[in-house]
Amino acid sequence: MIKQNIYNNIILSILGIILGIIICVIDPSKLLAVIFTCAGIFTVFCAIISLLELKQSKSEKEKNYVLISAIIMLAIGLLLIIYPNWIATIICGVFLLALPIYRIIINNNRLNALKKEATKLILGVILIFFGVGSVVKILLYIAGGIVILVSTLLLVYSIILLVKINKKEKKNKEDNDVIDV
């Protein structure tokens, strides 16, 4: 049973190393395009459902709200499908630049707010100047490297454990052998 677990760990380690290599090699712009296209399709689907439920709205105010939000969702969904990297850059810009700047402006103690928001501002500037694809590529390299490292460590540990178990079984077999005279 223990040997079977060790063999399973060895197989998992090899698969982990292969996965880590795939993560390092994958093109981040294509990965982002797939992710944002899927998000866009989901958003368009939700907008269509909202438009279909528009007939069930009771008040005129509620109908207007549902119609406006569905149109906005539909537009965002289509933009996510057509221009995934551009939308990613805008989203990062808004969340990592515009919101921290807004928080700094409205805060009475601007220096304190600047200290709190500095990391987000720096990250936002890096994302805007270098692009989301470059940052995701670095993150994929880091994630792939970690997966490869952990898998390699598990592989080495499993092999060492297997060698020790095999030596112990061999010694026990030799000790238990009866010498016939």
Side-chain angles (χ1 to χ4, degrees):
M1 183 69 180
I2 293 175
K3 274 190 170 183
Q4 184 62 37
N5 289 340
I6 293 172
Y7 290 132
N8 289 342
N9 285 343
I10 290 173
I11 292 170
L12 283 174
S13 300
I14 293 170
L15 290 175
I17 291 170
I18 293 170
L19 177 67
I21 292 170
I22 290 171
I23 290 172
C24 288
V25 174
I26 196 167
D27 184 16
S29 60
K30 289 182 182 177
L31 177 66
L32 285 174
V34 168
I35 291 171
F36 281 109
T37 301
C38 290
I41 291 169
F42 179 74
T43 305
V44 167
F45 182 71
C46 289
I48 291 171
I49 290 174
S50 293
L51 287 173
L52 293 175
E53 292 176 352
L54 186 64
K55 295 176 185 175
Q56 297 174 356
S57 299
K58 295 183 180 182
S59 68
E60 194 64 32
K61 186 176 180 180
E62 186 179 342
K63 284 183 181 180
N64 289 338
Y65 172 76
V66 171
L67 180 65
I68 291 171
S69 64
I71 291 171
I72 291 171
M73 284 174 53
L74 190 62
I76 290 172
L78 290 174
L79 284 173
L80 281 170
I81 293 169
I82 298 169
Y83 304 109
N85 290 330
W86 181 70
I87 294 297
T89 304
I90 288 177
I91 290 171
C92 292
V94 167
F95 283 111
L96 294 173
L97 286 177
L99 290 177
I101 289 172
Y102 174 74
R103 287 185 193 124
I104 292 169
I105 290 172
I106 65 167
N107 200 321
N108 291 338
N109 190 350
R110 289 187 176 88
L111 184 61
N112 235 4
L114 179 63
K115 289 178 185 176
K116 289 180 181 177
E117 303 294 333
T119 309
K120 292 176 188 168
L121 287 171
I122 292 169
L123 186 59
V125 169
I126 290 170
L127 283 173
I128 296 295
F129 282 118
F130 295 111
V132 177
S134 299
V135 174
V136 170
K137 188 172 192 166
I138 292 169
L139 292 174
L140 287 174
Y141 281 146
I142 292 170
I146 290 171
V147 169
I148 290 170
L149 178 68
V150 169
S151 297
T152 304
L153 290 174
L154 180 62
L155 179 64
V156 169
Y157 173 75
S158 297
I159 290 172
I160 290 171
L161 195 60
L162 185 62
V163 168
K164 284 184 178 183
I165 288 174
N166 285 339
K167 281 183 181 178
K168 188 175 182 180
E169 285 179 353
K170 186 178 178 182
K171 185 176 189 265
N172 286 343
K173 185 178 178 188
E174 288 172 0
D175 290 344
N176 290 334
D177 283 345
V178 178
I179 303 175
D180 289 332
V181 180

